[in-house]
Amino acid sequence: MPAALKGWPCGGNVLYAPARHTGFDFDAMPLVVGSPPENPDPARPAPAPAAVAVIRAFAPNVTLPQAPARPAVPQVEVPPEAAETADELFARLRRFCADGRVTVDLDNKRLMHIDSPVSFEAWGNQWVYPLLLLTCAVWWAFGWKVGTGAAAASVLLYLTLGKALLHRRIERRVREQVLEDVVRWRKLWSFGGVSLRSTEAASGGICASPSDNWMEFVRRLTKSA
């Protein structure tokens, strides 16, 4: 028998196994293979019960990194006035204008620009073309001296009476149409040429378009009421 093997009697058979094995002592724990004989020999002592080797698995001593705890989200309280829509603030602005708390100031030079949403080039042409035709007719009928005087009078008439009527028409358009529709109002405010002025000394101030915020101006007036 090789020296590295060791045998045990088992029911007339001999079980050979390594005398030593890594991690287990087969001298202390013999291995039994098969079932005991049906008619054991009474002269032979019964073999001792085989010991059962229990193998336990041990987890390595490794600490897994934990995810960093998320910071608590601060609860921000939204003031009621911040949830107001543009339609609600525009309706309040109209009430302030009707009560005399807010006046609307217009920059006629800016509003008469060709890109202005409240001005039409045809309004100016209604004055320019008739005066030009009149000047040409006077020039042709009475000569260049009288025609020159008619041209100067036409220019003076346009710059005084014509401009005044155009400014009044723009102002009427702003008050009758723009202040009745929030979409037109916001378009005009983005273009510029209109400002809001408070008539109250406590909450006074001017809100000019397009740099200032007209909605914040209305909220400020509401708090001071």
Side-chain angles (χ1 to χ4, degrees), residues 78-138:
V78 180
E81 59 272 10
E84 293 177 323
T85 62
D87 294 340
E88 296 173 349
L89 294 173
F90 181 69
R92 192 175 304 164
L93 174 62
R94 292 179 55 193
R95 290 197 300 269
F96 289 158
C97 294
D99 297 340
R101 297 181 57 186
V102 176
T103 58
V104 180
D105 299 332
L106 304 178
D107 184 0
N108 293 315
K109 183 178 180 180
R110 174 65 176 171
L111 295 179
M112 289 187 65
H113 191 271
I114 189 174
D115 295 330
S116 174
V118 295
S119 178
F120 293 98
E121 186 179 1
W123 291 354
N125 296 336
Q126 292 177 358
W127 284 83
V128 173
Y129 292 150
L131 291 176
L132 180 60
L133 292 177
L134 180 61
T135 301
C136 293
V138 172

Side-chain angles (χ1 to χ4, degrees), residues 31-91:
L31 299 178
V32 179
V33 179
S35 60
E38 298 179 358
N39 298 320
D41 189 357
R44 181 177 296 178
V52 179
V54 180
I55 302 176
R56 297 181 179 179
F58 295 92
N61 188 13
V62 178
T63 303
L64 297 177
Q66 297 181 355
R70 296 183 179 179
V73 180
Q75 299 294 332
V76 180
E77 184 178 356
V78 180
E81 59 272 10
E84 293 177 323
T85 62
D87 294 340
E88 296 173 349
L89 294 173
F90 181 69

